[in-house]
């Protein structure tokens, strides 16, 4: 097990001295619907997804290091199967089902990355999948989800409730609902990305993670608290959708109207209950970035590192590269959560300098 030495100068985040918090979770058995996952679940997920999910590379950039006066490690989940970290949680959740539960397939709701990840993971495991997607979901994500063999049911994200639609479909078909983030096996699967990152680079002082519904941040927190217990953990949201930031500061889940941002994978109204049970104890802060900063970060990855990262995937990197988090002299792990963006949209965003 890797351990991180105590920092002599605790990190300063937006003018506040970081407070170290350690996650304590009741390990007694609980129903799957209410069970809060632990690091043991992350290790179990790693065994389940081994050979199916890629162990994505950790990349570095001298330009990023110089600009931040830090040592930056980018965990490139944009190079994961189906183009995003979501494959980890989706595959793990399906693999955890027994044979009877698989018979009538699975149902999910997603703006895109969980949709295609679940569709692909279901196909690999011989399970049928139905995905509820917003009508304005990126065309590339819709095409990929359909291409992996899933049935798509569209809804209007501003007037209809995707959870209600999905619950109805699951009940009608006798299928299992696997939500994109508020699920213990999904959280555990997502935590394997940070587990790999810390195994590969050793001690880190700061872990920065994109935040939408909270699955990746919660899973990452489980791994970081187990492997680098004194590192600071920060989530990053789009400025217009800071429900997680409000929730962490208030100490309870805060719901907001559907936000608008180019970070389509983070357009949620609130974090999940399973996720917040972890975040409130294990995460030090949540900060926000603007759409303009996301575009500039996309440009950085395209021009300097020769790769495509979607807006949502740039959230954590944007916060570090644009100074929302003070990280000078630190070893910083950053999760790049996905790379699923069509070239037309990518070119239009980067062309608007």
């Amino acid at each position: 097990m890797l351990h991180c030495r105590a920092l002599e100068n605790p990190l300063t985040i937006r003018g506040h001295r970081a407070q170290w918090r350690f996650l304590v979770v009741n390990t007694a058995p609980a129903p799957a619907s209410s069970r809060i996952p632990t690091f043991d679940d992350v290790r179990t997920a790693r065994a389940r997804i081994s050979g199916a999910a890629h162990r994505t590379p950790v990349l570095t950039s001298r330009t990023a290091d110089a600009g931040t006066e830090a040592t930056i490690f980018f965990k490139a989940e944009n190079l994961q199967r189906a183009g995003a970290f979501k494959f980890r949680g989706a595959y793990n959740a399906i693999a955890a089902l027994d044979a009877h539960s698989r018979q009538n397939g699975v149902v999910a709701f997603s703006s895109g990355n969980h949709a295609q990840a679940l569709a692909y993971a279901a196909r690999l495991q011989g399970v049928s999948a139905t995905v509820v997607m917003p009508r304005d979901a990126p065309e590339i994500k819709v095409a990929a989800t359909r291409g992996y063999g899933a049935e798509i049911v569209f809804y209007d994200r501003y007037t209809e409730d995707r959870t209600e639609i999905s619950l109805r479909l699951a009940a009608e078909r006798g299928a299992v609902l696997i939500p994109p983030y508020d699920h213990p096996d999904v959280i555990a699967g997502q935590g394997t990305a940070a587990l790999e990152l810390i195994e590969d680079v050793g001690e880190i002082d700061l872990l920065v993670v994109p935040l939408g519904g909270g699955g990746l941040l919660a899973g990452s927190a489980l791994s970081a608290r187990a492997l680098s217990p004194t590192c600071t953990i920060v989530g990053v949201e789009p400025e217009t959708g800071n429900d997680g930031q409000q929730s962490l500061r208030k100490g309870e889940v805060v719901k907001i109207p559907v936000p608008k941002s180019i970070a389509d994978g983070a357009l949620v109204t609130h974090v999940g209950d399973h996720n917040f049970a972890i975040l409130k104890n294990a995460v030090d802060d949540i900060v926000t970035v603007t759409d303009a900063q996301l575009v500039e970060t996309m440009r950085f990855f395209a021009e300097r590192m020769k790769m495509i990262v979607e807006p949502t995937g740039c959230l954590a990197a944007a916060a570090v590269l644009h100074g929302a988090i003070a990280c000078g002299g630190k070893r910083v792990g950053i999760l790049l959560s996905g790379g699923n963006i069509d070239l037309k949209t990518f070119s239009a965003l980067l062309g608007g300098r």
Side-chain angles (χ1 to χ4, degrees):
M1 179 177 293
L2 297 173
H3 295 280
C4 182
R5 54 181 166 73
L7 299 179
E8 295 179 359
N9 297 302
L11 209 61
T12 297
I13 303 176
R14 294 205 171 204
H16 296 284
R17 191 174 170 86
Q19 299 297 314
W20 311 126
R21 295 195 287 274
F22 296 88
L23 179 62
V24 179
V25 177
N26 182 1
T27 58
S33 60
S34 61
R35 176 175 57 86
I36 305 303
T38 68
F39 182 60
D40 283 342
D41 294 302
V42 178
R43 290 189 293 196
T44 298
R46 193 243 286 271
R48 286 197 189 110
I49 71 175
S50 178
H54 294 322
R55 188 179 182 109
T56 52
V58 177
L59 306 177
T60 59
S61 164
R62 286 181 294 181
T63 302
D65 289 355
T68 59
E69 299 182 343
T71 302
I72 309 295
F73 302 100
F74 297 106
K75 178 65 169 172
E77 284 296 290
N78 54 311
L79 303 179
Q80 185 54 261
R81 297 185 82 167
F85 77 96
K86 292 284 191 178
F87 181 81
R88 296 174 180 271
Y91 193 95
N92 184 54
I94 295 173
L97 298 175
D98 59 34
H100 176 74
S101 298
R102 295 175 177 224
Q103 288 180 355
N104 295 321
V106 294
V107 172
F109 51 86
S110 168
S111 63
N113 281 343
H114 180 64
Q116 57 200 80
L118 184 106
Y120 191 17
R123 189 180 78 175
L124 291 174
Q125 298 181 72
V127 176
S128 62
T130 302
V131 183
V132 177
M133 299 184 72
R135 291 191 180 92
D136 61 350
E139 184 178 337
I140 189 174
K141 297 182 179 182
V142 173
T145 302
R146 187 174 284 124
Y148 291 136
E151 175 189 351
I152 298 176
V153 176
F154 289 106
Y155 78 102
D156 185 324
R157 74 165 84 223
Y158 299 105
T159 62
E160 296 179 285
D161 188 322
R162 65 182 187 173
T163 303
E164 290 182 2
I165 296 170
S166 301
L167 286 169
R168 175 174 52 80
L169 286 171
E172 290 173 353
R173 303 177 182 193
V176 175
L177 176 63
I178 300 179
Y181 48 83
D182 198 6
H183 187 287
D185 293 320
V186 170
I187 295 169
Q190 317 306 27
T192 60
L195 182 156
E196 293 174 2
L197 169 65
I198 298 170
E199 285 183 338
D200 287 347
V201 307
E203 293 183 356
I204 55 174
D205 302 316
L206 169 65
L207 179 65
V208 190
V209 184
L211 172 58
L216 182 60
L217 182 55
S220 297
L222 293 176
S223 292
R225 285 288 169 250
L227 301 179
S228 278
T230 60
C231 78
T232 300
I233 303 172
V234 181
V236 185
E237 296 178 298
E239 185 178 61
T240 57
N242 71 332
D243 57 286
Q245 183 184 66
Q246 293 184 55
S247 298
L248 188 66
R249 294 175 182 178
K250 189 173 182 180
E252 62 185 51
V253 175
V254 173
K255 296 184 179 182
I256 63 172
V258 178
K260 293 186 178 181
S261 167
I262 62 171
D264 63 278
L267 302 185
V268 302
T269 60
H270 60 92
V271 297
D273 292 333
H274 292 84
N275 314 91
F276 190 67
I278 297 170
L279 304 185
K280 67 182 180 180
N281 293 314
V283 171
D284 295 288
D285 200 9
I286 295 171
V287 301
T288 66
V289 294
T290 66
D291 280 2
Q293 290 170 332
L294 291 176
V295 170
E296 286 306 308
T297 305
M298 292 169 62
R299 179 175 287 112
F300 165 79
F301 285 121
E303 293 180 348
R304 295 291 183 172
M305 299 184 71
K306 312 308 177 188
M307 64 179 179
I308 294 175
V309 184
E310 65 182 282
T312 308
C314 287
L315 283 166
V320 171
L321 296 179
H322 289 87
I325 307 167
C327 57
K330 310 303 178 186
R331 289 169 54 83
V332 182
I334 294 176
L335 294 187
L336 306 179
S337 59
N340 293 316
I341 181 171
D342 65 87
L343 292 181
K344 182 178 179 180
T345 301
F346 184 79
S347 298
L349 288 172
L350 296 195
R353 184 186 292 271

